[in-house]
Amino acid sequence: MDHFLYRDGTLHAENVPIPDIAASVGTPFYLYSAATLRRHYQLFTEALGWGPHLVCYAMKANSNQAILKLMADMGAGMDVVSGGEYLRARAAGVPGERIVFSGVGKTKEEMRLALEGGVRQFNVESEPEMAALSQVATAMGTTAPITIRVNPDVDAKTHAKIATGKSENKFGIPISRASEVYAEAARLPGIEVVGIDVHIGSQLTDLAPFELAYQKVADLTRRLRSEGHTIRRLDLGGGLGIPYARSNLAPPLPTEYGRMVQATLGDLDCEIEIEPGRLIAGNAGILVAEVIYVKEGEDRKFLILDAAMNDLIRPAMYDAHHEIVTVIEPSPGVEQTPYDVVGPVCESGDTFARARDLPPLRAGDLVAFRSAGAYGAVMASEYNSRPLIPEVLVDDDQFAVIRKRPSFDEMINRDTIPEWL
Ligand SMILES: *Cc1c(COP(=O)(O)O)cnc(C)c1O
């Protein structure tokens, strides 16, 4: 459920009519609903309410400072995957003890940064990384708390680019080698094992692959404990999917996920961490764009928008489907016709949807891409020298620009021409 609904024939974000925001900010822009973000966090923390847990928002989904502050104010932790994300989380007021550091390629510099500023744990993904962390922590005279990310070799049944739990993926250590690697961790100075980490992929629409992976984690917990390791924390990753298309079956709810976690891991006396990104932010955001032209092709109509693949790359990158709705509610019974919905960027990949049925549209009309709050703004670029688009947050009847649109000069002046040129 989200808070983007028609009222009196106009799409609202909570209690603000979207045309008001468009008039004030200019299109295109990202628009987020604070109430939806809060609700999604609450759903997760309630779903795990049967035991000690921490919801660590995977901030790569949407790392705007205002979003992070909103999450942190409710008590959320953060899952970060780079030094930049770590510093962003700290800048938004997230204490180090609520930050978990994931990622296959942490540099020593990033390790130092996190050890200095405080960190809940590193989710270590390889033996060379563990050796590097041991060196960094020892040199700093400190100890790094770690989990080791295991790759359970489970098919997450999601898009290949976002599946991470098969042996062919670059992530984690093979679960079959876990005993060996945990023994090595116990020998290394400057390292303290606190648990196990797993993350099998993103946009999962079925609980079965999670359950399979978590059963393997349960077995591994018992085995590692019998081998003398302290396993008191289980980081279960993120990955729960969201309904992008209304016609699809709804993915499982956090409540069902929480019950499954309790059934598979609830008797192990461990603190549970989860790292949801998409489910927190995805349906809490939309992208609002304006129609520039309706172009009649030979055998189709093109709806040319002022938003493009550089603003929202998911359709081009993952063949992703986003619902597209008109900001003015279509009158009942109006005839829908198919449009190819495209942006102005100079490549055919700049196509949001093909043959999408929409009510009649004209230049100047506003449309909204739903489910654009996660992996939208954070993946945007300035390809074709299109400045990054602004982000706006609505909270009840108020809204604020939380990232402003850079001017053309700001964009151009980031470059420097060498004096010898
Ligand atoms: C991307 C990622 C997540 C979040 O995945 P979602 O599908 O957005 O929930 C969580 N943990 C790790 C390690 C990730 O890489």
Side-chain angles (χ1 to χ4, degrees), residues 58 60 79 102 149 199 201-203 237-240 275-278 375:
K60 73 175 192 275
D79 170 44
S102 300
R149 176 168 176 180
H199 170 72
S202 197
Q203 187 52 19
L240 204 53
E275 306 168 345
R278 190 186 308 271
Y375 307 104

Side-chain angles (χ1 to χ4, degrees), residues 204-207 210 240-241 250-257 279:
L204 273 69
T205 51
D206 184 2
L207 286 185
F210 284 119
L240 204 53
L253 298 171
T255 327
E256 302 165 60
Y257 174 87
L279 204 146

